[in-house]
Amino acid sequence: MTDFDPAVVAGVLAHMNGDHADDNLLIARAFGDRSAVRARMVGVDGHAGHWVYSTGADDVTAAAVQADPNAEGDLVWPGERALRVMWSTPISARPEIRREIVVLYDRACAALGVEPREHD
């Protein structure tokens, strides 16, 4: 799934799932299902970001996701739905991943009527 070094992907996933869980949920609600209650990023490639989300219908899934919020790879727990969101343009360098996630975050906020925070 990735065009990036596995260490880069692991770093992005750890950062997004550890520091930006709310952003993952916004992206899942905007591009997946507005009723999503939890989401995590599971991958990145040169064309898209990959998330899984849950609408909370499966309690076992909720417990599993909370037990390991930084799980790597394409692991999709029962009750989760896969979500692939295309970047605004194909990317090939690590700094472009952040840029494109910020673009998705801003688009998600606009779609949901949420005021986006300022970006560093």
Side-chain angles (χ1 to χ4, degrees), residues 87-100:
W87 305 134
S88 65
T89 185
I91 61 174
S92 60
R94 189 195 196 309
E96 296 171 318
I97 298 171
R98 182 188 186 281
R99 180 195 71 212
E100 289 302 313

Side-chain angles (χ1 to χ4, degrees), residues 12-33 36-42 49-53 83 85 87 97-110 112 114-120:
V12 170
L13 298 182
H15 176 69
M16 286 301 295
N17 294 325
D19 298 338
H20 296 287
D22 291 342
D23 298 349
N24 289 334
L25 186 55
L26 281 173
I27 290 167
R29 287 178 175 163
F31 302 108
D33 187 328
V37 295
R38 54 187 73 70
R40 60 190 168 89
M41 189 171 204
V42 295
H50 302 261
W51 285 263
V52 293
Y53 66 91
L83 175 64
V85 186
W87 305 134
I97 298 171
R98 182 188 186 281
R99 180 195 71 212
E100 289 302 313
I101 290 173
V102 168
V103 168
L104 289 183
Y105 166 79
D106 287 341
R107 286 178 46 210
C109 288
L112 297 171
V114 173
E115 185 69 30
R117 68 178 177 287
E118 290 192 29
H119 309 293
D120 300 338

Side-chain angles (χ1 to χ4, degrees), residues 53-64:
Y53 66 91
S54 171
T55 58
D58 185 42
D59 291 338
V60 173
T61 299

